[in-house]
Amino acid sequence: MNDQQITDAVAQLLGGHGASPAASPVAAPAPTPAPAAPPATTGASSVEDLIAKILAEGGAKPETGACPDYVPGSKRCCWQRARGDNDPTDNLVSKLLAGAMAQSAAPKRGVCPVTGRSAPDTSITDEEALTLGDGVFETMDEAIEAAEEAQRQYLFCSMAARHQFVEGIREVFLNEATLERISRMAADLTGMGNTAHKIIKNRVAAQKSPGVEDLTTDACSGDGGLTLVEYSPYGVIGAITPTTNPTETIICNSIGMLAAGNAAVFSPHPRAKQVSLLAIKMINRKLASLGAPANLVVTVLAPSIENTNAMMKHPKVRMLVATGGPGIVRTVMSTGKKAIGAGAGNPPVVVDETADIEKAAQDIVNGSSFDNNLPCIAEKEIVAVEQIADYLISCMRKCGAYFVEDPAIVKKLEALVINEKGGPQTSCVGKSARYLLDKVGITVGDDIKLILIDLPKEHVFVQEELMMPILPLVRSPSVDDAIDLAVELEHGNRHTAIMHSTNVRKLTKMAKLIQTTIFVKNGPSYAGIGVGGEGHTTFTIAGPTGEGLTSAKSFARLRRCVMVEALNVR
């Protein structure tokens, strides 16, 4: 017999015993499987006879009273009958249905095992991305209210459910077609970076952002009992995402925030609006297919500074996470709320006379040109010991660096990429080396990845984080002088630094002096976020507030649970 026949039989029999199956406001959990299945049945009449017999033997009828019909469930991410444990009728019918369902065919593809609902279509057109629904709201107030309601329900989800939801997000963004689509869209919409490297960044965000496994438990037991210290959610988290890494930040923050039990409200950069909304809609549709509370990840249809301010001020937003420039980081840190700030950097790379120069050259070109130098971890200036500087330049030219020696070309580049305030020209941020060189009258092929210039330390290209593939090289008389200069040029951002050396003492000295969140030794900068290096990834690197490479536990607060004079078995 099919599911509908079973449902009809239960409804008929319960109706005959003075009760009717009530509809849950949220889908009811799948019944607990019985230790042993009842005898096989072949039709609706057999099931009716069996239910009637059980009800008659039980002699129980559903009770009435003021108690609500449904309460948050403890075993699944949904709701359960409030009197389920005390109602023999419910228990008997549940056992019967469990046995009957055990004999039925396996669930059809696309049916949620938690809710029994068919999975929604997760495909979203570009035009549909710019519509309301699937976590996208008209106003920030509406978005936050929906997220707060979702998080209240999410509190009753099991850790297994959280894990399932996180794995669902990974599944969405590890689809090759989806990776290519969102990466190309991000590059096209923002005019920054390139599709191939954005695919790498989106993939690593989905693969290597930690989930529930990050939420470890500490325990202390003794004569006084047992104390547990565990990571618990903040509630609703407001997250500001940058135009440089729009989807990568949404992916890794969604995984971490949901793993920690929170709901997330995103305020994307307006230039990346369409791809950001698309990613959020994809997440919501996948979560819906897995039976998650609706609106765990939300945003607004029209991202703006006004909506960002509304999010930061809203009383139901308990934590703020800002990934962007120093201005937005200072703003969230001044709100009085718990804040995580992932700000700018100006990562130096030191190369000394003991380094493998050929490998260092290749690593620097690869790291500095990655996504056209958009990542804040990318090498922004080289400090090279004088005796190996010329050889390093020669090796880098073989690896795809275009060496600019003409002072007139340097002046043209300055006029092109520096604005009236002395900072990077937005229209040039994330553009390719070929594009920038073409603008100053130099034609090169696609094999050129980087513009290399020998400059004094005072030059604006050395002092400013440009986020474009222009890499200045500054000469230094010794490794100790190079380390001191690197510390100076990093400007105390404590973000990222790189060093190529085989002198362990000098590597240690630089690590101690520069105090950056990421310190990469003898590799490209992106190894620091798990691309070709060990460890988890993130695109929210919180140097200013000290969390470092954020993960699920960064979005959780520590709580202590104490059992007095009990559970000590030593």
Side-chain angles (χ1 to χ4, degrees), residues 24 57 76 81 90 110 131 142-143 146 174 230 251 276 280 317 324 370 385 399 405 436 446 448 470 485 504 520 547:
S24 169
E57 292 175 352
R76 292 185 185 273
R81 287 188 180 275
D90 281 351
T131 60
E142 291 174 339
L174 290 176
E230 296 188 301
I251 292 168
S276 299
I280 289 167
V317 173
F370 187 65
V385 173
C399 297
E405 300 180 83
L436 296 173
D446 289 334
I448 295 300
I470 296 176
L485 180 55
V504 175
V520 178
E547 290 79 8

Side-chain angles (χ1 to χ4, degrees), residues 301-356:
L301 187 61
S304 64
I305 293 176
E306 292 75 19
N307 276 318
T308 299
N309 289 334
M311 181 190 74
M312 291 191 292
K313 294 176 183 177
H314 202 288
K316 290 185 177 179
V317 173
R318 305 299 299 273
M319 180 187 206
L320 293 170
V321 178
T323 310
I328 192 63
V329 171
R330 285 194 298 269
T331 300
V332 298
M333 291 174 65
S334 65
T335 60
K337 298 183 179 186
K338 168 64 178 177
I340 291 178
N346 192 39
V349 51
V350 169
V351 185
D352 76 4
E353 68 278 11
T354 72
D356 181 339

Side-chain angles (χ1 to χ4, degrees), residues 484-500:
D484 289 342
L485 180 55
V487 172
E488 177 187 335
L489 296 176
E490 206 275 328
H491 300 313
N493 292 312
R494 296 192 171 190
H495 198 291
T496 300
I498 306 97
M499 185 173 183
H500 292 269

Side-chain angles (χ1 to χ4, degrees), residues 245-269:
N245 300 303
T247 51
E248 303 93 321
T249 308
I250 288 173
I251 292 168
C252 73
N253 281 351
S254 292
I255 288 173
M257 291 172 185
L258 266 62
N262 304 286
V265 181
F266 284 103
S267 181
H269 194 285

